[in-house]
Amino acid sequence: MTRVDHAVVSGTFSLDGETHQVDNNIWVVGDDRECVVIDAPHDVEAIMDVVGDRTVKAILCTHAHDDHVRVAPALRERVVAPIMLHPDDRPLWELTHTDHLWDLDLADGFELTVGGTQLRVIHTPGHAPGAVCFHAPELGCVFTGDTLFQGGPGATGRSFSDEDLIKESIRARLFALPDDTVVHTGHGDDTTIGAERASGL
Ligand SMILES: [Zn+2]
């Protein structure tokens, strides 16, 4: 039976010379045998507590802000799984990791199967150029990283962000999903596509 497991991990986010304290969600999707990890913030042990003894098939990055990818290379060493990132986030990745790259490029429409369920990549630039969401149609949920939160779009005030683009991504791609799709975000509480569409952009 495929399930979604979750933990909140605390640390910092730095960009444009400012550092903020943040709580990040990590999401683990899979069954009793295998899983994927969505985002790798702050703390390998906290992520491994959720993974347990399962085989990790991939480390999926919603985008390359340091609070989402800081321990991705360390987690890769621990579980021996590829890090997957949309290549448009290379400039952000290189702000955090100068001596490691990711392993596989994500692209819009890319599909991956874990524990018998499908995850489909939706490229949603705006918060970051390579920001992606992972839609799991059979689970009725979408993992949106920092693109869509409970209450609206992610921040676009910093470098490499674009407010018009994030709104277009949400309208054209995320609001095309069914209303009852549960939105698992990069920070804070869940919402639904219907609730966010109703509150407008
Ligand atoms: Zn971010």
Side-chain angles (χ1 to χ4, degrees), residues 173-193:
R173 306 303 305 278
L174 297 182
F175 286 177
L177 301 177
D179 270 358
D180 60 356
T181 305
V182 174
V183 176
H184 295 306
T185 64
H187 306 272
D189 294 332
D190 288 348
T191 182
T192 65
I193 291 295

Side-chain angles (χ1 to χ4, degrees), residues 13 63 65 67-68 127-128 146 187:
F13 164 54
H63 62 299
H65 279 155
D67 60 324
H68 293 255
H127 177 71
D146 292 357
H187 306 272

Side-chain angles (χ1 to χ4, degrees), residues 156-189:
T156 48
R158 300 186 182 90
S159 299
F160 305 105
S161 285
D162 185 321
E163 186 180 354
D164 291 337
L165 198 53
I166 198 173
K167 288 181 174 173
E168 178 58 23
S169 289
I170 292 169
R171 277 194 202 103
R173 306 303 305 278
L174 297 182
F175 286 177
L177 301 177
D179 270 358
D180 60 356
T181 305
V182 174
V183 176
H184 295 306
T185 64
H187 306 272
D189 294 332

Side-chain angles (χ1 to χ4, degrees), residues 54-125:
R54 294 183 277 176
T55 300
V56 177
K57 287 185 79 174
I59 301 161
L60 304 175
C61 305
T62 59
H63 62 299
H65 279 155
D66 65 354
D67 60 324
H68 293 255
V69 300
R70 182 170 289 113
V71 302
L75 182 63
R76 170 174 61 188
E77 271 194 30
R78 178 77 171 264
V79 301
V80 193
I83 300 169
M84 304 181 70
L85 175 73
H86 193 290
D88 288 358
D89 259 15
R90 183 170 188 137
L92 287 166
W93 174 275
E94 288 177 340
L95 292 176
T96 304
H97 297 300
T98 51
D99 50 351
H100 300 275
L101 274 180
W102 65 98
D103 302 292
L104 293 169
D105 286 346
L106 292 173
D108 190 66
F110 179 91
E111 290 179 347
L112 169 131
T113 302
V114 61
T117 206
Q118 198 179 55
L119 288 176
R120 186 173 55 92
V121 173
I122 308 174
H123 183 209
T124 51

Side-chain angles (χ1 to χ4, degrees), residues 32-68:
D32 289 338
R33 293 179 303 111
E34 63 178 27
C35 60
V36 295
V37 175
I38 299 177
D39 286 340
H42 314 308
D43 184 347
V44 170
E45 294 310 318
I47 297 168
M48 290 307 297
D49 283 348
V50 182
V51 167
D53 58 5
R54 294 183 277 176
T55 300
V56 177
K57 287 185 79 174
I59 301 161
L60 304 175
C61 305
T62 59
H63 62 299
H65 279 155
D66 65 354
D67 60 324
H68 293 255

